Amino acid sequence: MNIGDITQRTGIPARTLRYYEDIGLVAPARAENGYRDYSAADLDRLMLIAQARHMGFSLDECRRLAALNADPGRASREVRALAQKNLAAVQDRIARLRALEAQLRALIAQCHGDDQPDCAILEELSGKRP
Amino acid sequence: MNIGDITQRTGIPARTLRYYEDIGLVAPARAENGYRDYSAADLDRLMLIAQARHMGFSLDECRRLAALNADPGRASREVRALAQKNLAAVQDRIARLRALEAQLRALIAQCHGDDQPDCAILEELSGKRP
DNA sequence: CCTTGACCTTCCACCTGCTGGAAGCATTAC
DNA sequence: GTAATGCTTCCAGCAGGTGGAAGGTCAAGG
């Protein structure tokens, strides 16, 4: 299959597929004419990668997931550990963002938001308030 | 003040302060010896920027916040609008991450996580399940 | 007075995960 | 035959920094 077919089936832009080859995430064969010639296995691998990306896995984690997927002797423990690491990272980010949200809300609530220059947000940010 | 003093007072690494100068976010004077010579106003500006970065504002938003802070004729409406745009972005990211979290939890719950190779996570990700 | 160590300077490259454009072949459609 | 896609490569950039090398400066101690 040509790169365009893979794009259609995985939703990954051609550009990104070339990038994935650059970083060694996938290694399609080449046809006589120099075009990338993706095998069914390449497609499978890229499908997995596309899904994993949607689930927030980093490219490096995708690489490991693809390796595990291709390894018949794998232990599902390893896969689960990767997923749990990812979950923890996601939860951490959520926690941080929620704290941020609360702070922003508080800031916004204090600002009049009118034509006048006095602004509680700027006061807070520039540390002019204790 | 030297760059090290600013680092101590703002918590922004010297490296990053130089970067901020490169992108025109701050423009300290230079001493005879070529060292950056930050004024009190520069420090104030960087304090604001450091706080705004903590609140998730982009560098471009920081630039605008700093400009508003320095403008006595500003309308607090503008500051508030910036903050609200940021809040909306944060909320959007939280929503996405929460959806992700739920998906990851579901995946993890289905995987045995033992020595065996069969793994619900890989099955889901590689689309071997409907 | 000299040396040591901390601090400062510049430059250039690298990180993640792409994305954009230009220039140039190959293939396909009409 | 030619025009529109589709493919190739390379180079360059986005955010927001971080890392290292090579070198100038300054303050303190012996």
Side-chain angles (χ1 to χ4, degrees), chain A residues 106-112 118-130, chain B residues 51:
Chain A
L107 274 189
I108 290 168
Q110 286 175 269
C111 174
H112 303 309
D118 58 300
C119 173
I121 297 172
L122 289 177
E123 282 172 29
E124 282 283 346
L125 289 179
S126 59
K128 273 161 201 155
R129 295 212 197 177
Chain B
Q51 279 307 308

Side-chain angles (χ1 to χ4, degrees), chain B residues 13 15-16 19-20 33 35 53 58-59:
Chain B
R15 214 140 224 151
T16 303
Y19 171 68
Y20 285 175
N33 57 10
Y35 286 17
R53 289 295 294 145
S58 71
L59 286 181

Side-chain angles (χ1 to χ4, degrees), chain A residues 17-111:
Chain A
L17 289 169
R18 293 191 196 104
Y19 170 68
Y20 284 176
E21 186 178 355
D22 279 356
I23 62 169
L25 198 51
V26 65
R30 290 299 175 126
E32 296 269 306
N33 58 11
Y35 286 17
R36 286 166 182 81
D37 186 13
Y38 291 86
S39 68
D42 290 331
L43 176 58
D44 283 354
R45 190 180 168 89
L46 285 163
M47 289 287 230
L48 172 81
I49 290 168
Q51 279 307 307
R53 289 295 294 143
H54 283 312
M55 300 297 259
F57 289 90
S58 72
L59 287 182
D60 203 65
E61 286 169 333
C62 286
R63 196 190 300 269
R64 280 183 274 169
L65 284 173
L68 286 168
N69 195 44
D71 174 11
R74 73 189 167 235
S76 66
R77 195 196 316 284
E78 289 185 58
V79 182
R80 201 183 146 112
L82 264 176
Q84 239 154 8
K85 197 168 140 252
N86 189 4
L87 175 61
V90 167
Q91 285 172 336
D92 190 70
R93 286 168 64 197
I94 290 171
R96 284 173 205 281
L97 285 172
R98 298 235 283 190
L100 209 57
E101 188 197 7
Q103 285 180 286
L104 277 170
R105 267 187 205 285
L107 274 189
I108 290 168
Q110 286 175 269
C111 174

Side-chain angles (χ1 to χ4, degrees), chain B residues 96-113:
Chain B
R96 284 173 203 280
L97 285 172
R98 299 235 281 191
L100 209 57
E101 187 197 7
Q103 287 180 284
L104 278 170
R105 267 189 206 284
L107 273 190
I108 290 169
Q110 286 175 268
C111 174
H112 302 309

Side-chain angles (χ1 to χ4, degrees), chain B residues 43-117:
Chain B
L43 176 59
D44 282 353
R45 188 180 170 90
L46 285 164
M47 289 288 231
L48 173 82
I49 290 168
Q51 279 307 308
R53 289 295 294 145
H54 283 312
M55 301 296 258
F57 288 89
S58 71
L59 286 181
D60 203 66
E61 286 168 335
C62 286
R63 196 189 300 271
R64 279 185 274 169
L65 285 172
L68 286 167
N69 195 43
D71 174 12
R74 74 191 168 233
S76 66
R77 195 196 316 283
E78 290 184 58
V79 183
R80 201 184 146 114
L82 265 176
Q84 240 156 6
K85 195 168 140 252
N86 189 5
L87 175 60
V90 167
Q91 285 170 336
D92 189 71
R93 287 168 64 196
I94 289 172
R96 284 173 203 280
L97 285 172
R98 299 235 281 191
L100 209 57
E101 187 197 7
Q103 287 180 284
L104 278 170
R105 267 189 206 284
L107 273 190
I108 290 169
Q110 286 175 268
C111 174
H112 302 309
D114 57 17
D115 293 339
Q116 297 304 114

